[in-house]
Structures are given as structure tokens and as C-alpha cells.
Amino acid sequence: MRALAPAAIAGTLAAAVAVGVAELVAAAVRPESAPLVAVGAAVIDATPGPVREFAVRGFGTADKAVLLSGILVLLALFAAGIGVLAVDRPRWGLVGVGGFGLVGVAAVASRPAFRLVDLLPSVVGTVAGGLMLLRLRRPLAVAVSSGAEPSDPVEVTEPAAIDRRGFLVVGGTAAVVAGASGALGRIWQGVRTVAARSREAVRLPRPTSPAPPLPARADLGVPGAGPFLTPNASFYRVDTALVVPERAAERWTLTVHGMVDRSLTLTYQDLLGLPIVERVVTLTCISNEVGGEYLGTARWLGPLLRDVLAGAGVDPAADQIVCRSSDGMTIGTPARIALDGRDAMLAIGMNGEPLPVEHGFPVRMVVPGLYGYCSACKWLVDMELTTFGAYDAYWVSRGWARFGPVLTQSRVDTPAASSRLAPGRVPVAGVAWAQHRGIAGVEVRVDGGPWQPATLADQASLDAWRQWVFWWEASPGRHTLAVRATDGAGALQPERRSAPFPSGATGWHTVTVTVG
Ligand SMILES: Nc1nc2c(c(=O)[nH]1)N[C@H]1C(S)=C(S)[C@@H](COP(=O)(O)O)O[C@H]1N2
Ligand SMILES: [Mo]
């Protein structure tokens, strides 16, 4: 019971040194080799689809930070236990530290892009943590043994004071080492970005087929509703990458293989040699809730998928294109849809800039009309022509639909839910989307009254969302506004509410506001 708190602190400090040193070594190796990140990535991969769905909803965009913090808290708790154990049984303490080292090693080794050097941060961190635990134990062990031998009065009084000071000095040093190495490692990992430097050097080609100019009234400009084109900085991001995969454009290659006449390996320069198109396409995540924020519209630039595949000669029996990213994600795209004449492309540009690193630099897929999880592979490096019968990609093996056409949806952007408005004429506005089918109509209903047609913005592209506005005479009281869309094929957005898992959310978006 004696010295429990200092022993627990010693264990936690030893773990902090291990994690901090590992972060520093990972900066020299590569960010993905940090054991903390690898454990987080392994947890993400092991999480079943519906649970992950819940997590994304619960944590919002902070899910990655929440995950890493959770792992750190668990680690601290276990490390405290190891610290207590180590006071009397140093060997078992070391076994505990070694156990943690093994968890890190196993997680790092389980990563799809694993290389042997990736083990270095886990190994060096474990050794540093073990040494720290032994060093921190020394002043504690003396204090404890002094407590255990009350027959010796000198031991009881004198060393206890010295030990407390000794513990504070060693413990303080450990805290500083852990904090400094961890912070330095994180900063260095951020500075050393191969991709960011490569991206700055990229000069985008002029499109051989530019996007048609946006109609003057594609953007209604209603205050409170977003812009028609989503700026790159505010474009939603959904992926499993705890650290952004880094690949320089100069070193990038794409291998096309599987059910093809001849395998190909293409460079970034090879892509630039193909006809380059520019298209306005809305990208949507299947995890998007009714009324959610996981979609955005950009001007994408790059060669068409069919031009890339033409050189390989695709076997007509191949019904699935499995794209792999440099961090091992697999995304299975239905070949029939991607090659039916729509503007499926390998994007290298986004809104006039080279593809941002978080959005897949140097190259990603964009297929209008399919949710991102089955089409929009970022950090693309490999493309295999196969069948749905032969292979389940990442999300499909976690229970999501084999492939998902984007469902017709609409969203009220203004007024905001639960807001308070002055009575009078108020614009109710938002977006509606049904990529590749287009939007034919949007209706608004106030308090369960009749559905009334909204005014539509000009359609910029069948593959992009469409803004709408409905001028509402707001009277004092609480009111509920609902919206629904009809797509270009004449299908009405269904009322029935369903969760995003496994095929995408359905239902009408409603907001309740108070007037007066
Ligand atoms: N390599 C990789 N590509 C990926 C993902 C991923 O986790 N890893 N997520 C997909 C999902 S689910 C979506 S919705 C889109 C999101 O693209 P964005 O982050 O550029 O908006 O990327 C897709 N491509
Ligand atoms: Mo997604």
C-alpha cells in the first residue's frame, strides 16, 4: 500500500517516455511507424462497420483525436499498474513494458505498407520506457524497503526525504524527456512532408476539355447557405488515415493489372500525356446522415478512367475495379458504372490547385454518382481488374453494401435548426443532390401543410448538387420546415428514415425554428 501513488506515477512516466521517444524516432523513419498511430489504425480496422458508423456520428470530425486520446488514457492506466508491480517485482515490471512493446510491434507490423524499419520506433521506445521504469524505481524501492524495516530508525527517517527528492528529480527529468521528445517528434513529422514539397512543385496542365462555365445562377448566394463550389480548406474529409500517406508526384506510379490484356505501370508524367478533362462533381460520403455535412462540390482535373484503362485492355468479365492506396486501403468500384460513359476520372487537381495532400495527393479517383467508399480512392497507387465474386474491398468486408449509388437527398442550410428568426419574408435555402441523375424539383413543407415548390438554381451539371430557395412568410411561433427532392429520373426522395449503414441514409431533412 505504501508509495502506491509514486509507483503509479513512475509507471505512467515510463510509458510517456516510451511514447515520446517512439514519436521522435518515427519522425526519422516515417510517421506511420509511430506505435501509437499504428495501434489506432489497427483499432480502426478491427472496428465493425456499424460501430464505426456510431463512432463517426458520436465524435464528428474529431473522431481521430478522440481515438488517440482514448488509447493514451488506457495506456496510462495500464502503465500505472505496471509501475506498482515493478516496485517489488522489477522483472515483472519489465515484462509488462515488453508486453506493451509487443502490442506496438504487432500493430505496426499489421499495417499494409509495413517495412522492417517501421519497428524501430516501437523497439527504441520500449527500451527507453524499460530503462526509465528501472531508474524511477530506485528511489521508490529504497523508500519502500525503509518502510518495510521499521526496526532500523536511520533508514526510516533519512533516506525517505532524500528519496522523495531523488524521485522528483528523476521523475521531473522523465516528464521533460517525454514531453520534449513527443512534441519534437510531432513537429518534425509535420515539417518533413515529402508530399507537401512535391505538391508545391506541381504545375497543373490546361484541360483539353474544360468544365463548361458555371451558369450565372448556379449559386443563389443566399446568406447562410454555402457556396456552390466548396473551398478545398472546408471540403469534408473522411478516411481511415491517422497520418496522411505521403507520396511525391515524381516518384508516384500506378500499376494496372488483373483481368487485363497487359499490365501497365504509369507515372504522373504518363497521366499528363493523356487528354485532361475538368469536371464539376459533388462527392458524397455514405456515412452522411440526413442533413449532414459529409459532402462537397469541387472542380476536378485529370484524365478519364477509360483513357487510363484503354492501354491495358480490360476483360469484359471484370466487373470490379479494386483501387489500392499507398496506405493499403482498398476500394472496389463497379466497372460497369465507372465505364458507362460518365466522367469517372483520376483527379490530380481540385478547384484549380494540385490535389491537397489530405484529399489524396498525388492522384485519386472520382466517379460521379457513387459514394466515396466505393469509388473515390485517395492516394491511389494500384488498380486491379477483378470480380465482385472474387474479392471484397475494405468496407464491403465490414458489412457495407457491395457498391452504393448516391441516393437522392436534400438539405436545409438556412435557417439553422433551432434558430430564432424575426417574423416576415425569410429565405429557406439549401442543396439537393442525385449525382448523374440530376435534380428536377425541390419542395418545402411548413408545419405539415401542403408541399410547395422551391425555386431551383441553374443546374451546373447532372453530377453536381443543385441549390434551391423557398421564400417563406414566417409568422410568430414554433415552425417545422421539411424539404424533399425529385431526381432527374422522376423519383421522389423517400420519406422513410434509415441509417447510413449499409446503403446510405434515407428520409426527409427537417428543421424546427422559433419566429418572433
Ligand atoms: N485511401 C483512402 N481513400 C478513401 C478513403 C479512405 O479511408 N482511404 N475514404 C473514402 C471515403 S469513405 C470517402 S467518402 C471519400 C472522402 O474523400 P475526401 O476526404 O476527399 O472528402 O474518400 C474515399 N477514399
Ligand atoms: Mo465515405
Side-chain angles (χ1 to χ4, degrees):
M1 291 306 100
R2 339 122 295 189
L4 250 190
I9 292 171
T12 310
L13 281 174
V17 167
V19 169
V21 167
E23 286 293 333
L24 190 58
V25 179
V29 179
R30 56 182 184 144
E32 297 91 312
S33 66
L36 180 63
V37 162
V39 169
V43 170
I44 291 177
D45 284 354
T47 307
V51 180
R52 179 194 167 271
E53 186 48 41
F54 168 79
V56 167
R57 207 176 311 151
F59 303 154
T61 43
D63 56 350
K64 292 185 174 97
V66 169
L67 172 66
L68 290 180
S69 313
I71 291 171
L72 279 177
V73 168
L74 270 183
L75 173 64
L77 287 177
F78 277 102
I82 291 175
V84 172
L85 185 70
V87 176
D88 290 330
R89 298 182 192 79
R91 236 170 258 155
W92 280 107
L94 286 187
V95 168
V97 173
F100 268 108
L102 278 184
V103 170
V105 162
V108 170
S110 79
R111 298 292 78 219
F114 169 70
R115 294 182 301 213
L116 209 57
V117 285
D118 290 344
L119 294 182
L120 213 55
S122 299
V123 170
V124 177
T126 305
V127 170
L131 291 176
M132 206 64 238
L133 187 69
L134 291 183
R135 185 66 193 81
L136 276 161
R137 187 190 149 268
R138 245 186 271 161
L140 290 179
V142 177
V144 167
S145 67
S146 67
E149 291 158 25
S151 55
D152 186 343
V154 181
E155 282 270 336
V156 174
T157 50
E158 294 282 39
I162 296 165
D163 288 335
R164 191 168 300 138
R165 182 142 44 90
F167 182 72
L168 283 179
V169 170
V170 184
T173 310
V176 170
V177 167
S181 59
L184 209 69
R186 279 284 157 139
I187 292 168
W188 186 11
Q189 287 173 28
V191 170
R192 242 176 45 98
T193 60
V194 176
R197 258 180 283 139
S198 168
R199 183 175 178 269
E200 275 161 31
V202 165
R203 294 287 162 268
L204 288 179
R206 228 179 259 268
T208 24
S209 164
L214 284 187
R217 284 180 49 83
D219 203 330
L220 296 173
V222 176
F228 177 77
L229 285 176
T230 314
N232 291 354
S234 49
F235 205 94
Y236 83 100
R237 178 182 166 196
V238 170
D239 56 57
T240 60
L242 283 171
V243 295
V244 180
E246 303 268 336
R247 184 76 39 124
E250 318 78 90
R251 296 257 186 94
W252 177 87
T253 58
L254 171 69
T255 307
V256 180
H257 61 112
M259 295 168 69
V260 292
D261 296 336
R262 42 202 168 279
S263 301
L264 301 177
T265 299
L266 299 164
T267 63
Y268 197 77
Q269 210 56 40
D270 292 335
L271 290 191
L272 299 183
L274 295 170
I276 298 291
V277 307
E278 180 193 42
R279 296 290 182 263
V280 173
V281 177
T282 297
L283 191 63
T284 312
C285 182
I286 194 165
S287 295
N288 193 47
E289 294 281 347
V290 172
E293 302 280 333
Y294 291 161
L295 77 160
T297 301
R299 211 152 34 83
W300 307 95
L301 180 87
L304 289 169
L305 175 65
R306 59 171 174 274
D307 289 340
V308 173
L309 292 179
V314 175
D315 181 338
D319 63 8
Q320 181 176 215
I321 306 171
V322 174
C323 288
R324 281 191 181 75
S325 68
S326 55
D327 67 335
M329 169 56 70
T330 55
I331 288 190
T333 304
R336 211 168 17 83
I337 293 180
L339 298 173
D340 72 355
R342 71 186 68 201
D343 294 322
M345 57 200 282
L346 297 196
I348 57 169
M350 183 177 181
N351 288 326
E353 284 176 26
L355 203 58
V357 180
E358 316 79 63
H359 294 291
F361 183 85
V363 181
R364 79 173 304 168
M365 274 255 275
V366 173
V367 183
L370 291 174
Y371 286 119
Y373 85 106
C374 67
S375 68
C377 189
K378 307 195 273 188
W379 312 293
L380 174 68
V381 293
D382 185 283
M383 224 180 238
E384 180 178 356
L385 277 293
T386 179
T387 63
F388 279 103
Y391 186 77
D392 282 344
Y394 188 90
W395 292 114
V396 176
S397 66
R398 283 158 178 79
W400 293 82
R402 278 221 162 124
F403 57 87
V406 176
L407 303 176
T408 303
Q409 264 296 342
S410 49
R411 185 180 73 192
V412 178
D413 290 342
T414 184
S418 312
S419 56
R420 183 173 269 282
L421 321 169
R425 233 166 105 78
V426 173
V428 179
V431 283
W433 61 94
Q435 288 93 311
H436 211 57
R437 301 184 296 281
I439 290 293
V442 170
E443 299 160 286
V444 172
R445 184 176 68 181
V446 182
D447 299 328
W451 285 99
Q452 303 176 69
T455 304
L456 292 175
D458 288 344
Q459 180 109 52
S461 153
L462 287 184
D463 296 335
W465 60 18
R466 193 164 183 180
Q467 293 187 349
W468 56 268
V469 63
F470 173 79
W471 288 93
W472 174 43
E473 207 56 57
S475 57
R478 257 170 77 83
H479 297 287
T480 298
L481 305 163
V483 62
R484 68 180 189 185
T486 300
D487 70 20
L492 181 65
Q493 177 186 339
E495 175 177 17
R496 196 177 69 82
R497 276 271 178 169
S498 67
F501 185 83
S503 308
T506 64
W508 295 335
H509 186 213
T510 61
V511 299
T512 300
V513 297
T514 307
V515 178

